[in-house]
Amino acid sequence: MKKKILFIIWSYTYGGGAEALLTVIVNHLNPEKYDISIIEYEHAETKIEKVNDNIHILPYIQAVQTEENYSKTYQLYHTPEVLIRTYIKKEFDLYVSFNYLIPTFLLPKGTKNISWIHGDVYNLADQNFLRERIRQNNAFGNVEKIVAISDFTELSLEELFPEHKDKLVKIYNGIDIDKVKKESMEQTNIQINKPAIVFIGRLEENKNPVRLIHILRLVHDKGLNIHLYYLGEGKLKENIYEEAFKNNLLEYVHCLGYHQNPFPIIKQCDITCLLSKQEGFSMSLLESIALGVPFVATKVGGATELSNKERCGRIIKSDEDAQKAILSLLKIEKSSVRRECEKSIQRFNIKGYIAQIEDLFDSVIN
C-alpha cells in the first residue's frame, strides 16, 4: 500500500526557490511508493508549478468561519487547531512542513512528521522575533526530524535551537540537470547584450538587488561596459531604475520580469550574481552551474559548497570584492569554466538526492 505524504508550504504559487525545489522532489519521488499531496497557506498567482498527474494540489488554506470571525493570521497564532482540523486531515502517514515558522505551526501533533528548513534561522535571534522563536521552538518539539539544506542552515539551527540538535539531518539541495539543460534549449525572443550579469529572484530587501547597481558602476569604472539583467518581480524595481539613473547606467540595466522558464536567458549570460542577506541553498546558483554559468555571491547557504574551491564561483564580502571577482571570471576561458561547472554539479544530481529523501521518509514512517 502506498504511503500518503502531505507537504505543507507557505506558498506554492509565488514563484520562489522553495516552490521550485518542492516540485523537483515530488515529481521524482517513487509514485509506486508514495501518494503525495501539497497544501499552501498563502495563495498567489505568480507561477503555476508543473507537477506530475499523480500529485494532488489541495485547496489553499483560508480563514475558517467561526462566530468570532477571526482572520486567518489570528487563527494561525492563537487557535491553529481550527485551521489544522479543517485543512490538515489526519489521513496521512507523513507530514512535511516545507520551511520554518508558518508551515511548522500547521503540523498536527502526535503525527509522523518532518520539518524541512530552507534557510538560516538567525533572524529569530533578534529580540523583536522572540515570540516567533518561542513558537518555533515549541513546534520543533513536536517534530521527529529537522532537515537542514546546507552547512549554514545546520549551524544556525544548532545555535538557536540546541535542544533539538539530535533531530537534525543534512540533505543538500539537488537538481534535475537534464531537465534544466533541456528547458534551456527552448526558444526565447530575448537576446542578451554581452558581456552580461544576471540576477535571478524576487526584487526584495533580502535579495539585495539594488546593491548590484553599485557593483555595476565599479565594473564600468574599470572600462568594461557590462550589462545587468534582472529576472524577477518585486517592490524594489523602481529603486533599481532610480539607482541606475543616478549612476548613468540606465542603458545597461534591464528588468525582464518573471519568466516561467528563465533558462534560455540565463544560459546566454556570463555570470550570475547573488547578493542575498540570507539564503538556505540557492536553487538559482544550482541552475546556473548546471548551465555552465559561474557565479559571484555573498556567503550564504550553499554558495561555498557550489563554488567548489572557486572553480565555479566566487564568495564576496564587499562591492570591491565583487568587482574583482566579475573581472576575474570574465578572463577565464569559457570552455574551462563550463567543464568545472559540469564536474561540480554532478555532486548534486537528482538520483542521489531523491534516494536520501526516500530513505529519510521511510525511516520516519516506519
Side-chain angles (χ1 to χ4, degrees):
M1 182 182 293
K2 293 182 184 179
K3 298 299 182 182
K4 298 184 71 173
I5 300 175
L6 176 65
F7 288 90
I8 307 167
I9 188 170
W10 176 72
S11 177
Y12 196 53
T13 48
Y14 209 82
E19 295 95 304
L21 180 64
L22 180 53
T23 301
V24 169
I25 292 171
V26 297
N27 281 342
H28 287 85
L29 288 172
N30 187 344
E32 301 301 318
K33 286 176 62 177
Y34 308 109
D35 185 343
I36 300 165
S37 298
I38 299 170
I39 191 167
E40 63 177 350
Y41 175 82
E42 193 69 31
H43 185 69
E45 299 291 343
T46 306
K47 182 183 181 183
I48 299 175
E49 296 287 340
K50 297 179 181 178
V51 294
N52 297 339
D53 293 339
N54 64 300
I55 311 300
H56 315 294
I57 308 298
L58 305 183
Y60 64 91
I61 295 171
Q62 302 182 67
V64 176
Q65 292 301 310
T66 62
E67 290 182 6
E68 298 87 354
N69 202 30
Y70 289 135
S71 69
K72 180 171 69 172
T73 302
Y74 182 93
Q75 291 176 341
L76 174 74
Y77 287 105
H78 298 280
T79 58
E81 65 277 359
V82 173
L83 295 176
I84 293 170
R85 187 167 57 245
T86 304
Y87 289 99
I88 315 296
K89 305 297 184 182
K90 284 197 171 181
E91 59 186 40
F92 294 91
D93 298 290
L94 179 67
Y95 298 80
V96 183
S97 60
F98 216 65
N99 218 349
Y100 72 141
L101 294 179
I102 290 175
T104 64
F105 302 160
L106 293 168
L107 286 171
K109 294 180 181 179
T111 59
K112 304 277 189 177
N113 53 51
I114 295 169
S115 178
W116 205 296
I117 310 300
H118 292 279
D120 73 75
V121 296
Y122 284 123
N123 63 313
L124 297 183
D126 191 310
Q127 194 64 24
N128 293 327
F129 287 92
L130 180 59
R131 285 192 302 177
E132 284 77 5
R133 182 175 176 179
I134 292 171
R135 287 191 179 105
Q136 185 61 77
N137 190 59
N138 290 337
F140 281 155
N142 296 319
V143 305
E144 297 197 28
K145 294 292 181 182
I146 303 170
V147 175
I149 64 171
S150 71
D151 297 344
F152 201 46
T153 300
E154 181 182 45
L155 180 63
S156 71
L157 288 164
E158 289 177 347
E159 291 183 356
L160 268 72
F161 302 100
E163 59 268 56
H164 303 298
K165 183 178 179 180
D166 61 331
K167 298 180 180 180
L168 285 172
V169 177
K170 184 165 60 181
I171 301 179
Y172 293 140
N173 283 357
I175 184 171
D176 189 339
I177 302 168
D178 292 338
K179 182 174 180 289
V180 170
K181 289 182 177 180
K182 181 180 178 181
E183 291 185 1
S184 76
M185 301 299 291
E186 293 181 7
Q187 292 296 314
T188 177
N189 56 6
I190 295 174
Q191 298 301 311
I192 297 300
N193 295 306
K194 297 172 74 76
I197 301 168
V198 62
F199 169 99
I200 311 152
R202 289 194 289 270
L203 308 181
E204 62 182 17
E205 289 292 340
N206 180 58
K207 299 289 186 181
N208 224 352
V210 179
R211 182 183 175 188
L212 255 179
I213 301 297
H214 304 293
I215 294 170
L216 186 69
R217 175 74 273 164
L218 292 176
V219 175
H220 276 246
D221 287 345
K222 289 294 184 180
L224 180 62
N225 293 337
I226 194 168
H227 288 259
L228 171 57
Y229 292 86
Y230 289 90
L231 288 173
E233 295 286 358
K235 62 183 181 180
L236 295 182
K237 183 176 179 178
E238 290 304 315
N239 302 67
I240 289 168
Y241 279 131
E242 286 173 9
E243 286 301 311
F245 176 77
K246 289 178 187 176
N247 286 276
N248 197 30
L249 292 168
L250 267 180
E251 66 176 295
Y252 297 98
V253 175
H254 318 274
C255 290
L256 303 181
Y258 178 82
H259 286 256
Q260 186 83 14
N261 177 12
F263 304 136
I265 302 170
I266 297 170
K267 186 175 69 171
Q268 298 179 59
C269 296
D270 299 285
I271 297 169
T272 293
C273 274
L274 177 78
L275 302 177
S276 297
K277 299 171 185 176
Q278 290 180 300
E279 287 280 348
F281 196 107
S282 172
M283 288 302 293
S284 65
L285 294 188
L286 266 174
E287 291 159 353
S288 295
I289 296 300
L291 294 172
V293 178
F295 66 83
V296 171
T298 46
K299 192 174 182 179
V300 292
T304 301
E305 294 94 329
L306 285 166
S307 71
N308 199 18
K309 299 180 179 179
E310 296 202 335
R311 297 186 184 98
C312 308
R314 305 289 163 82
I315 312 300
I316 59 97
K317 292 182 179 179
S318 67
D319 292 356
E320 289 73 19
D321 289 343
Q323 174 210 55
K324 292 174 184 176
I326 290 167
L327 293 172
S328 173
L329 285 171
L330 287 172
K331 290 178 181 177
I332 302 173
E333 185 183 350
K334 284 184 171 42
S335 60
S336 174
V337 174
R338 282 195 292 270
R339 281 196 300 271
E340 291 297 339
C341 288
E342 182 66 30
K343 283 189 280 186
S344 179
I345 201 64
Q346 295 304 323
R347 296 175 295 155
F348 307 96
N349 74 80
I350 195 67
K351 185 177 180 180
Y353 179 57
I354 296 300
Q356 291 181 74
I357 294 172
E358 291 193 0
D359 285 346
L360 174 63
F361 285 1
D362 294 345
S363 70
V364 173
I365 291 171
N366 296 326

